[in-house]
Amino acid sequence: MKSKKKQRLGWVLYDFGNSAFATTIMAAVLPTFYYDVAAKGLENHLATSYWGYSQSIAALIVAILGPILGAISDFSAAKKKFLRFFCYMGVIASILLAFVGEGDYIFASILLIIGTVGFSGGNVFYDAFLPEIAEEEEMDRVSAAGYAWGYIGGGVLLAINLLMILKHDWFGLPNATVASQVSFATVGIWWFIFSIPLFKNIREEKKPAVKRDQSYIVIGFSRLGQTIKEITKYKQLLLFLFAFWLYNDGISTIIKMATIYGRDINIGQNDLIAALLITQFIGIPCTFFFGWLAKKISVKSALMLSLYIYMGIVIFGYFMSSALHFYLLAMCVGFVQGGAQSLSRSLYGRLVPAHKRAEFFGFYGVSAKFSAVFGPFLFAIVGQLTGSSRLGIISLIFFFLAGIILLKFVNIEKGIEEVKGKKAS
């Protein structure tokens, strides 16, 4: 049996690898490439809106699949198999983005959607391994390590890709457009290489074989209904999910829309990518800082602090008008992004009953991905109707404010007692 140490290393390295998709494709290079190349010929605010709609469609597909796949995974003990499938889906979509050219915004949107489904769908199963490789007292540290090494992996490849775009002649490439296309292919290769240790070392908890006379899809829908009923038994867990649903929508929308928003207000591609590279490396120590802070002032208090800062980021983003402003905003996001996400994941892990881990983490995927449908859509529709992306970004303040209000009512200690009480009964 593989040691816990090797399993944790493989788990962390997967985040190191797949985070390149989040940085190069979702956040930095593809948004500007989409705006300048793939959507060439469209009005500027429409390019931004179509990017937002593409993000919403991807999130909706993942939201529909998430609980079903989580339930199937729990039923069949096949988390590793499904993780591999979605990983390879994302890898292939990333490589195919290298073939997107001028005016190919529909092709680019389709590949973005497929890649995002691979990235996000795989993370449902990836997250579900956390309680299996880490004891309760280690979850904060291991979860933070995953995010921190994700920042490093995504940041290293983004730095290479930025150099490739700025100094394309060093790499024998004719121009920055071709360099951007090559950078998409490097994401797929990077992601594949660093997924190997996880698939080699991770070991799923053994479960007795269950004879089935229905398809996994039918079983999945049936289990989804049961999951919803089960989750309602854990009041604090349910309340946290609603809070998470709201504020995570704001966080994910900022990640997905910041670069193309910056491009829409005439900030240069190189400044946008460089600023997001800074975000990555600021995020590394700050993710660990929030893990340390959680021990000092509690997980909930540290998480609340990060969300208040996010509210300030949204307000600042509305007034942003220069590259310097974008650099400052990127540094603020780097300070809180990893902390907010890792603390949310570890807090949720505390409130989840052990015998329902994959199933409930599948529902956690719904909370993250279904909610993520609305933020980019709201941003896109407001921008399209008003012709101003600034009004789109300020609308995100609702998600943070509502999430903070709900989170205030979550009682973690009571939630842990609910889990223990249900197990005892």
Side-chain angles (χ1 to χ4, degrees):
M1 182 176 180
K2 297 289 183 181
S3 69
K4 290 283 187 182
K5 187 175 180 180
K6 284 187 176 180
Q7 292 187 60
R8 289 172 190 163
L9 177 61
W11 190 82
V12 166
L13 285 177
Y14 182 84
D15 211 331
F16 183 93
N18 85 332
S19 290
F21 182 87
T23 54
T24 294
I25 291 179
M26 292 177 70
V29 182
L30 183 58
T32 57
F33 181 87
Y34 188 96
Y35 188 93
D36 292 330
V37 180
K40 190 172 184 178
L42 293 177
E43 293 183 41
N44 293 345
H45 71 278
L46 285 180
T48 303
S49 293
Y50 289 170
W51 174 264
Y53 293 140
S54 301
Q55 295 285 5
S56 290
I57 292 169
L60 179 61
I61 294 171
V62 172
I64 293 170
L65 289 176
I68 300 168
L69 295 176
I72 293 172
S73 171
D74 194 44
F75 182 89
S76 63
K79 292 193 295 294
K80 184 175 178 179
K81 180 168 66 176
F82 279 104
L83 175 55
R84 189 191 299 271
F85 172 81
F86 282 104
C87 169
Y88 293 166
M89 179 189 295
V91 165
I92 292 169
S94 299
I95 293 172
L96 289 177
L97 277 167
F99 299 97
V100 173
E102 287 188 1
D104 293 337
Y105 66 92
I106 295 177
F107 184 38
S109 290
I110 290 171
L111 290 176
L112 170 68
I113 290 167
I114 293 173
T116 302
V117 169
F119 174 77
S120 301
N123 281 346
V124 170
F125 302 99
Y126 171 77
D127 286 343
F129 276 113
L130 177 59
E132 295 185 14
I133 64 170
E135 302 298 329
E136 182 178 329
E137 63 274 11
E138 298 175 310
M139 278 191 190
D140 285 343
R141 181 178 61 81
V142 176
S143 180
Y147 275 109
W149 280 99
Y151 274 119
I152 296 172
V156 167
L157 187 61
L158 182 58
I160 294 170
N161 289 334
L162 176 59
L163 183 63
M164 192 184 300
I165 293 167
L166 290 174
K167 302 292 183 180
H168 49 83
D169 53 312
W170 291 4
F171 296 86
L173 301 171
N175 52 54
T177 297
V178 173
S180 295
Q181 292 169 319
V182 172
S183 73
F184 304 142
T186 65
V187 169
I189 296 168
W190 184 273
W191 187 352
F192 173 76
I193 290 172
F194 288 103
S195 70
I196 293 173
L198 174 69
F199 295 130
K200 181 180 178 182
N201 295 320
I202 203 75
R203 290 293 179 268
E204 206 157 354
E205 290 183 344
K206 292 184 178 180
K207 297 179 182 180
V210 179
K211 186 177 180 180
R212 61 184 179 88
D213 54 6
Q214 296 174 306
S215 70
Y216 280 132
I217 294 176
V218 172
I219 293 170
F221 275 107
S222 175
R223 294 272 291 180
L224 173 59
Q226 295 173 23
T227 301
I228 293 172
K229 290 180 182 178
E230 284 294 315
I231 276 209
T232 58
K233 297 177 182 178
Y234 302 89
K235 304 302 181 185
Q236 298 303 315
L237 175 61
L238 186 62
L239 184 59
F240 170 75
L241 278 171
F242 280 117
F244 175 73
W245 185 334
L246 287 160
Y247 71 72
N248 185 70
D249 197 359
I251 294 173
S252 64
T253 303
I254 287 174
I255 294 170
K256 295 170 183 175
M257 301 299 295
T259 303
I260 202 163
Y261 169 68
R263 192 70 192 89
D264 197 23
I265 61 174
N266 297 318
I267 298 174
Q269 181 191 36
N270 294 341
D271 285 320
L272 293 170
I273 298 175
L276 290 175
L277 184 60
I278 292 172
T279 298
Q280 290 299 111
F281 290 104
I282 287 179
I284 297 165
C286 290
T287 298
F288 286 112
F289 168 76
F290 271 94
W292 170 83
L293 187 63
K295 293 183 178 181
K296 297 294 182 180
I297 65 173
S298 82
V299 176
K300 180 178 170 181
S301 296
L303 180 56
M304 293 279 285
L305 174 62
S306 71
L307 299 181
Y308 282 122
I309 294 173
Y310 263 117
M311 287 185 66
I313 288 170
V314 169
I315 296 170
F316 180 65
Y318 174 79
F319 294 102
M320 180 174 66
S321 61
S322 69
L324 175 60
H325 292 161
F326 193 83
Y327 278 106
L328 292 173
L329 185 146
M331 287 188 284
C332 291
V333 171
F335 179 66
V336 294
Q337 182 175 297
Q341 292 177 319
S342 67
L343 292 177
S344 295
R345 183 166 62 185
S346 62
L347 193 158
Y348 185 78
R350 286 179 167 83
L351 301 176
V352 169
H355 63 294
K356 294 284 185 180
R357 284 170 179 166
E359 186 178 351
F360 277 33
F361 264 99
F363 207 90
Y364 182 74
V366 174
S367 298
K369 304 307 181 289
F370 186 71
S371 67
V373 173
F374 300 103
F377 181 80
L378 179 63
F379 193 114
I381 195 69
V382 170
Q384 184 174 1
L385 293 177
T386 65
S388 171
S389 297
R390 291 186 186 277
L391 295 177
I393 196 167
I394 199 65
S395 67
L396 301 181
I397 201 166
F398 161 77
F399 296 105
F400 291 108
L401 184 59
I404 287 170
I405 291 171
L406 281 180
L407 189 61
K408 283 180 178 290
F409 292 98
V410 176
N411 188 316
I412 300 174
E413 290 73 22
K414 187 175 180 180
I416 294 173
E417 288 300 318
E418 284 180 346
V419 171
K420 292 179 178 178
K422 292 290 188 300
K423 183 177 180 181
S425 61

